[in-house]
Amino acid sequence: MFVFLDNEANLPEGYRRLSSQEIMNNYLKMDLNKDYTVSKNEWMFMFIKLLEKDIDILEKEGPDSIMNKIQELSDEFDRYDVNGNKKLDYEEYKSIITNRVYISE
């Protein structure tokens, strides 16, 4: 499971930052068409696949929990897509993941 947070003060127990190597590996996995950018579709596809692993947790959160996560993912992408081209280069991606994304151990 992953969470987007504005600061580490709200970090749930058992979550951590990704390492630089994990960030690079994830970026390359997300870049499905190998154009060295991550499109919004690639972003959404990969994170939705991650949600599959946490279906039991999401079911306990309520009937709209998956749609809420999907909306959060879309909003996050739009927030960091500064030029509005629906693509993130590696530096944009790394900044997002380093400063905002935490994964469960």
Side-chain angles (χ1 to χ4, degrees):
M1 182 92 161
F2 58 91
V3 293
F4 284 97
L5 296 175
D6 290 325
N7 65 59
E8 255 182 63
N10 300 322
L11 186 64
E13 187 175 327
Y15 282 78
R16 64 174 178 82
R17 289 182 190 264
L18 279 80
S19 70
S20 294
Q21 188 63 49
E22 287 173 315
I23 293 170
M24 175 61 81
N25 290 344
N26 287 335
Y27 183 77
L28 294 173
K29 285 179 190 175
M30 282 186 148
D31 182 17
L32 297 174
N33 66 358
K34 307 301 180 209
D35 67 350
Y36 300 104
T37 63
V38 172
S39 70
K40 188 170 187 178
N41 285 332
E42 289 169 328
W43 168 271
M44 296 300 293
F45 179 74
M46 293 304 287
F47 276 106
I48 289 169
K49 283 176 47 177
L50 289 174
L51 288 175
E52 178 183 20
K53 297 175 186 174
D54 297 312
I55 191 67
D56 292 336
I57 294 168
L58 293 166
E59 283 291 328
K60 290 176 186 172
E61 289 180 11
D64 293 326
S65 61
I66 292 174
M67 289 307 297
N68 291 340
K69 286 284 187 196
I70 289 171
Q71 187 60 56
E72 286 174 25
L73 292 169
S74 178
D75 292 346
E76 285 294 322
F77 185 96
D78 292 342
R79 192 170 306 136
Y80 291 105
D81 180 22
V82 178
N83 64 5
N85 70 350
K86 304 293 183 203
K87 294 185 178 191
L88 301 175
D89 64 31
Y90 178 70
E91 291 303 317
E92 290 172 314
Y93 177 81
K94 182 179 176 183
S95 175
I96 296 163
I97 301 303
T98 299
N99 297 316
R100 308 254 318 157
V101 175
Y102 301 84
I103 61 169
S104 58
E105 308 260 358

